[in-house]
Amino acid sequence: MQHQTILVLDFGSQYTQLIARRLRELSVYCEIVPFNTPLDTIRARRPAGVILSGGPMSVSDVGAPRCDAALFDLGLPVLGICYGMQLMTDVLGGAVRPSGHREFGHATIQVAAETPRLFGGTPSSFRVWASHGDDVGIVPEGFRVAATSATAPIVAMEAPTRGLFGLLFHPEVVHTEHGGAILRAFAFDVCGCTGDWTISSFVQEATTRIQHLVGNGRVVCGLSGGVDSTVAALLLHRAIGDRLTCIFVDNGLLRYEEAAQIRRRFAERMQLPLEFVDATDTFLTRLDGVVDPEQKRKIIGGTFIDVFEERSRELGEFDFLGQGTLYPDVIESVSVLGPSAVIKSHHNVGGLPERMRFRLVEPLRELFKDEVRRVGEELGLEREFVVRQPFPGPGLAVRILGAITRERLDLLRLADRIVADEVRRSGWYERLWQSFAVLLPVQSVGVMGDARTYEYTVAIRAVESLDGMTADWARLPHELLAAISSRIVNEVRGINRVVYDISSKPPSTIEWE
């Protein structure tokens, strides 16, 4: 089935992913493509509409990104957001000028008296989130002003007979009131979408795609025990059955009793074809004495590939490698404005060594994290597992500052288990993006009973976030923090002090290493 699709041309905005997320929430399928996607490619996709994202540059800057001007003559509905509106204005003969008052943050807009097409579901005045240094001074010929603000004479414009619309604010962010209504109006009223994209339809289509891609081939899948790789493995198993083999590598850096839980969950309960490899000694030997966090990550990544490759070779010939790559991984690994704009190099995107001659099958590469969780529920995963907090690929290695030893791993596992127990008991677990313990290379004096102690310090980290890109430290109740601290110092011999991390991202990262 061919879904109605809205294409988002990415001009480098930090909010581009949010546009796609908001449309998916309306059951409208949406894809993000580079701003310079050829016109023939766009035409061949037959989208229901196109959205031009915001971006960090000015349209007057040398080298500013521009789409093909003929895009506006295709007869497709087009919505320009912030930079997208300025570009639309510039291309179609209007005037863009530096703002007299740069707007970054909340602004109040007034909708034109003759209700504009995108504002039928909004009040006449409401607050929006602005982020721009340029204004539209004169709208292009055939456009009319749809909304104004105290500092910007034109914050929205439209040429409804041509299906062209512009907004100088961001309807996709939660700070904009009625932003969802505006995007709904564009998708449904202007583009004619019916909201035909559902998680159930995705599962059916993904199964068919996998079958067509793999044919009679065999797939090997690296199972980490996390939500992404688990859901990917379940989809693959649904599509090709026993021609899938999952390999789980125990690197010795997992949480308390996690390896045993994974064995029970996947091999016994889910009946996935699972090969279990205990490589604890190999990983810890290679990590012995290593303190630098980047070196730790490289050693862990390289060792995993070595162990995975050796075991897969022992199991015979495989044609495909299954991975739980998500849409943000794909987007963030593609440069929009040149190499300097790449956010990160992701291990699941183009990270295979040349000697591993597998073709990739990535059934989740169209999905965001919250959508993967919904697919998991659709496939019968228990809720406790589906809502599980993210766990870093290098495991507890990035939560132990300094050298990694078996003794320090055991201390951290016990402390981390207490954090998880108490956070769940308090009802905070699903409200948090992540909550965990970090073992610091700091020992301090304490008193237990009548004895003097000189033991380790643990930091507790708990953050709230929508996607992990930014995060704020969680204002956990003092009673919860007290319970965590009391249990750790009383139950974990070797730790006598607990501190709470009140840093946000940015400037800090979520993990400590």
Side-chain angles (χ1 to χ4, degrees), residues 1-211:
M1 175 181 174
Q2 179 64 48
H3 291 293
Q4 297 165 309
T5 300
I6 291 180
L7 295 181
V8 178
L9 269 59
D10 183 12
F11 290 88
S13 170
Q14 60 181 318
Y15 301 130
T16 301
Q17 287 191 36
L18 283 178
I19 300 171
R21 289 176 69 89
R22 297 294 171 256
L23 290 170
R24 300 271 190 96
E25 288 166 5
L26 297 172
S27 296
V28 174
Y29 185 65
C30 176
E31 283 189 23
I32 298 170
V33 297
F35 70 89
N36 54 0
T37 298
L39 199 66
D40 287 344
T41 301
I42 294 174
R43 188 186 289 112
R45 294 292 305 277
R46 300 176 63 188
V50 175
I51 294 179
L52 312 181
S53 83
M57 301 183 75
S58 168
V59 292
S60 60
D61 288 346
V62 175
R66 303 179 77 86
C67 60
D68 192 319
L71 171 70
F72 301 106
D73 297 321
L74 287 181
L76 293 171
V78 180
L79 170 62
I81 295 175
C82 209
Y83 179 90
M85 171 174 168
Q86 296 160 6
L87 178 62
M88 181 185 293
T89 300
D90 188 64
V91 169
L92 297 179
V96 179
R97 64 188 187 186
S99 299
H101 299 275
R102 292 158 62 90
E103 283 191 316
F104 295 97
H106 281 294
T108 299
I109 70 169
Q110 288 74 42
V111 178
E114 183 182 342
T115 305
R117 185 80 179 272
L118 300 187
F119 294 84
T122 73
S124 58
S125 178
F126 58 96
R127 299 213 317 161
V128 301
W129 187 259
S131 178
H132 61 92
D134 289 342
D135 277 342
V136 171
I138 303 173
V139 299
E141 184 177 351
F143 282 74
R144 64 190 181 204
V145 177
T148 63
S149 75
T151 55
I154 305 168
V155 294
M157 66 182 191
E158 66 174 12
T161 57
R162 295 179 61 187
L164 303 180
F165 303 84
L167 305 171
L168 207 57
F169 58 89
H170 291 275
E172 68 273 22
V173 303
V174 295
H175 308 296
T176 292
E177 298 173 349
H178 312 289
I182 293 170
L183 290 174
R184 175 182 284 275
F186 178 72
F188 287 82
D189 300 341
V190 175
C191 298
C193 294
T194 57
D196 63 348
W197 191 81
T198 65
I199 290 299
S200 178
S201 66
F202 168 81
V203 170
Q204 295 170 11
E205 291 157 21
T207 302
T208 302
R209 281 198 302 271
I210 292 167
Q211 291 168 340

Side-chain angles (χ1 to χ4, degrees), residues 46 49 68 139 182 199 216 249 283 312 328 341 362 426 445 449 454 484:
R46 300 176 63 188
D68 192 319
V139 299
I182 293 170
I199 290 299
N216 295 320
V249 177
F283 278 87
S312 63
E362 300 170 309
S426 68
V445 174
Y454 189 63
I484 291 171

Side-chain angles (χ1 to χ4, degrees), residues 316-383:
E317 292 293 323
F318 291 96
D319 308 286
F320 293 86
L321 173 67
Q323 291 193 148
T325 309
L326 304 191
Y327 202 33
D329 302 332
V330 176
I331 297 166
E332 290 176 356
S333 299
V334 176
S335 174
V336 173
L337 302 176
S340 62
V342 176
I343 299 172
K344 65 180 179 180
S345 174
H346 194 272
H347 67 281
N348 272 359
V349 184
L352 293 175
E354 285 296 319
R355 67 179 186 271
M356 295 181 74
R357 301 290 182 182
F358 296 120
R359 292 172 62 193
L360 287 178
V361 52
E362 300 170 309
L364 306 179
R365 65 182 287 119
E366 299 173 357
L367 301 186
F368 292 100
K369 187 76 172 188
D370 56 320
E371 294 168 335
V372 173
R373 296 188 192 279
R374 287 160 55 200
V375 171
E377 290 183 314
E378 180 80 14
L379 293 172
L381 277 175
E382 64 267 33
R383 178 166 178 77

Side-chain angles (χ1 to χ4, degrees), residues 253-259 388-391 396 413 416:
L253 305 169
L254 304 174
R255 289 170 285 200
Y256 186 79
E257 294 187 341
E258 188 166 21
R388 184 182 184 189
Q389 294 176 0
F391 186 61
L396 297 181
R413 283 193 186 99
D416 192 67

Side-chain angles (χ1 to χ4, degrees), residues 76 111 147 185 269 273 301 334 365 387 399 417 422 446 493-494 506 510:
L76 293 171
V111 178
R269 194 181 313 167
V334 176
R365 65 182 287 119
V387 300
R399 295 177 181 174
R417 181 183 64 160
E422 293 299 326
R493 182 168 296 181
I510 295 177

